[in-house]
Amino acid sequence: MNILITGGNGFIGSHTIISLREHYPHARLVIADNLTNSTLETFTNLKKLVKEGIEFYNINICNEEEVATLFINYSFNAVIHFAGLKAVGESVEKPLKYYRNNLISTLNLVKYCLIYDVGKFVFSSSATVYGNGESPFIESHSLLPTSNPYGETKAICERILIDVANTNPEFCVSILRYFNPIGAHESGLIGEAPNGIPNNLMPYITKVAKGELETLHVFGNGYPTIDGTGVRDYIHIMDLADGHVAALVNLKPGVNIYNLGTGNGTSVLQLIDTFEKVNGVKIPYKIVNPRSGDLATIYADARKAERELNWNAKRSIEDMCRDAWNFAKNTVTI
């Protein structure tokens, strides 16, 4: 079995490759990644964990010629599409960059899946497609207007995949809407290591814990939540990775949409407190103005994934904090 993993060097993609190897011990896993938000060190460490049957190509999925060459050289059985720009704030500042990258990459992949009869496609979507709806989010909810261009690119990609699958019965699609992945592989060899200043909460916390940043900024404490700070559905990265494998293994004809989350919300201050207690590290923080467009509470209804994929999140918030710190404290910042 040959599986193409776009963005496979990134945070979610790299952990999914480990889960793929566990379920498909003899599969050829082909990574296509242009290293926009990852490094070759991740691939080096992946090879230590996966050992063999893994290949890396430094290509941009927006380049149709490079995509065509990949499909010509391999008889892919499945594609898992992670590649894409994902910083919400940057998408507001540079919307055209996000529309071009995230839409063209998806269009290129779908085109060559149809040309070369690749009938299994797993798409990395996001809870942002739900817009300003009310939690818990359920897959059957009508999608409201998204609050940023990043979320809109995910919603448009979903519509593209749905339309293509409706006219090509042999093209089977699983759309995974996931929430807030944190943590790291238990080995400490791979984890979340974004280039530059982190956009996500956990790598920001670990940089403060390491002394690379002085203070964590908490955006607002006036929300109608348990302590006034935003509540999110944090999911361990390895649970999320296992969810992608479950989606591929149980892929049915047509379009299948699943939330991947825990179904529980944790506030920013609760996450900070747990990180401090589990790891014995103090995280200085200060409250700053809330960000425009942020919702008070976001969490999933993940019962459909449990029912149809036999999948659910097993790891705790404590596990997430422990594994994230285990990776971060052993990572040398360049």
Side-chain angles (χ1 to χ4, degrees):
M1 186 173 191
N2 295 339
I3 305 173
L4 173 62
I5 306 100
T6 72
N9 234 39
F11 179 43
I12 304 173
S14 59
H15 289 78
T16 298
I17 286 169
I18 294 173
S19 291
L20 284 168
R21 172 56 72 232
E22 291 175 355
H23 191 86
Y24 298 106
H26 304 298
R28 176 181 288 181
L29 307 177
V30 180
I31 297 173
D33 195 308
N34 67 354
L35 304 179
T36 294
N37 199 35
S38 61
T39 67
L40 276 176
E41 183 182 4
T42 299
F43 181 66
T44 299
N45 289 331
L46 261 180
K47 288 195 294 185
K48 296 176 184 176
L49 296 167
V50 175
K51 308 233 181 263
E52 58 185 23
I54 180 173
E55 301 172 31
F56 171 78
Y57 291 89
N58 185 349
I59 69 170
N60 189 336
I61 302 301
C62 289
N63 186 316
E64 184 174 345
E65 184 177 335
E66 292 182 331
V67 172
T69 299
L70 263 186
F71 277 80
I72 290 169
N73 291 337
Y74 292 91
S75 296
F76 290 119
N77 303 98
V79 171
I80 304 180
H81 181 28
F82 294 105
L85 300 175
K86 62 176 185 176
V88 169
E90 184 186 46
S91 79
V92 175
E93 298 171 0
K94 302 175 182 178
L96 189 58
K97 176 182 179 181
Y98 274 67
Y99 283 110
R100 182 185 183 280
N101 184 90
N102 293 1
L103 299 186
I104 291 177
S105 61
T106 302
L107 288 168
N108 282 343
L109 286 170
V110 172
K111 175 180 178 178
Y112 284 93
C113 280
L114 296 180
I115 290 173
Y116 289 95
D117 297 322
V118 182
K120 296 182 178 181
F121 196 100
V122 178
F123 178 63
S124 167
S125 191
S126 165
T128 56
V129 300
Y130 288 112
N132 294 326
E134 293 187 5
S135 294
F137 292 124
I138 302 173
E139 294 89 345
S140 58
H141 280 173
S142 297
L143 301 187
L144 299 176
T146 58
S147 58
N148 56 75
Y150 162 72
E152 190 63 22
T153 66
K154 291 296 186 182
I156 294 172
C157 286
E158 287 195 11
R159 296 186 193 107
I160 290 169
L161 292 168
I162 290 169
D163 287 344
V164 172
N166 284 341
T167 56
N168 295 272
E170 73 285 356
F171 186 61
C172 305
V173 177
S174 190
I175 293 172
L176 304 181
R177 297 170 178 167
Y178 38 81
F179 287 68
N180 292 72
I182 60 175
H185 188 257
E186 61 182 9
S187 67
L189 287 174
I190 63 170
E192 188 170 13
N195 296 329
I197 299 296
N199 292 298
N200 297 330
L201 179 58
M202 183 56 79
Y204 211 117
I205 289 175
T206 59
K207 281 186 176 291
V208 172
K210 293 176 70 173
E212 295 174 9
L213 296 173
E214 288 186 8
T215 307
L216 173 70
H217 288 179
V218 175
F219 295 100
N221 65 345
Y223 293 109
T225 62
I226 188 171
D227 54 26
T229 63
V231 169
R232 297 293 182 266
D233 189 341
Y234 296 102
I235 178 172
H236 196 289
I237 185 62
M238 287 309 303
D239 281 332
L240 188 63
D242 292 342
H244 286 78
V245 176
L248 181 59
V249 170
N250 296 284
L251 190 54
K252 299 179 296 185
V255 177
N256 310 275
I257 301 175
Y258 301 101
N259 289 333
L260 296 185
T262 66
N264 299 303
T266 301
S267 77
V268 174
L269 293 186
Q270 287 176 322
L271 186 66
I272 294 170
D273 181 63
T274 302
F275 187 93
E276 291 180 332
K277 288 179 178 177
V278 167
N279 297 311
V281 181
K282 191 67 178 173
I283 305 297
Y285 67 87
K286 65 178 180 180
I287 306 296
V288 298
N289 291 331
R291 294 177 296 194
S292 176
D294 273 358
L295 300 182
T297 301
I298 299 175
Y299 64 95
D301 182 322
R303 288 176 296 178
K304 183 181 177 184
E306 183 173 5
R307 185 172 63 250
E308 296 187 10
L309 304 181
N310 194 30
W311 171 92
N312 64 335
K314 299 179 174 61
R315 298 164 178 88
S316 67
I317 285 287
E318 288 79 8
D319 294 329
M320 301 177 209
C321 291
R322 184 181 300 109
D323 290 341
W325 181 231
N326 181 46
F327 167 73
K329 68 184 178 182
N330 294 313
T331 302
V332 177
T333 302
I334 299 175

